[in-house]
Amino acid sequence: MFVVYFIIFSLVTFLLWGIDKYRARARQWRIPERFLLILSLIGGAFGALAGMVVFRHKIRKPYFWVLVGTACILHILLLIFNRKF
């Protein structure tokens, strides 16, 4: 069940990362950084990490690397913990 949850949130987060990058280039209204980070923390960390690398978006901000990386580790631990019990 957790796997499906993380896949859906990761896809949504990845798409929003791409949309935000597009809007940044077009100088349009942006998705707030807080919202992107919240999505990362509640299940979209893998999508956020992929979005950072693929779209080269938010890669100059160390706190994004730290928070998204930490969220990825936590999500992996949740998946492992969920499988054992």
Side-chain angles (χ1 to χ4, degrees), residues 1-6 82:
M1 189 66 179
F2 272 122
V3 174
V4 174
Y5 174 82
F6 286 132
N82 188 42

Side-chain angles (χ1 to χ4, degrees), residues 22-52:
Y22 171 79
R23 288 181 175 180
R25 287 185 172 172
R27 300 198 184 270
Q28 295 177 350
W29 176 84
R30 305 274 305 278
I31 299 169
E33 288 183 350
R34 177 179 284 176
F35 184 71
L36 292 173
L37 287 172
I38 288 171
L39 282 176
S40 301
L41 293 173
I42 63 171
F46 301 115
L49 186 61
M52 288 176 74

Side-chain angles (χ1 to χ4, degrees), residues 20-82:
D20 190 53
K21 179 64 175 193
Y22 171 79
R23 288 181 175 180
R25 287 185 172 172
R27 300 198 184 270
Q28 295 177 350
W29 176 84
R30 305 274 305 278
I31 299 169
E33 288 183 350
R34 177 179 284 176
F35 184 71
L36 292 173
L37 287 172
I38 288 171
L39 282 176
S40 301
L41 293 173
I42 63 171
F46 301 115
L49 186 61
M52 288 176 74
V53 173
V54 170
F55 302 117
R56 298 189 48 80
H57 192 45
K58 305 288 186 196
I59 59 174
R60 293 185 186 166
K61 297 189 175 190
Y63 61 91
F64 269 88
W65 285 108
V66 170
L67 289 174
V68 171
T70 302
C72 283
I73 292 168
L74 289 174
H75 294 169
I76 289 170
L77 292 173
L78 280 172
L79 289 170
I80 291 170
F81 181 74
N82 188 42

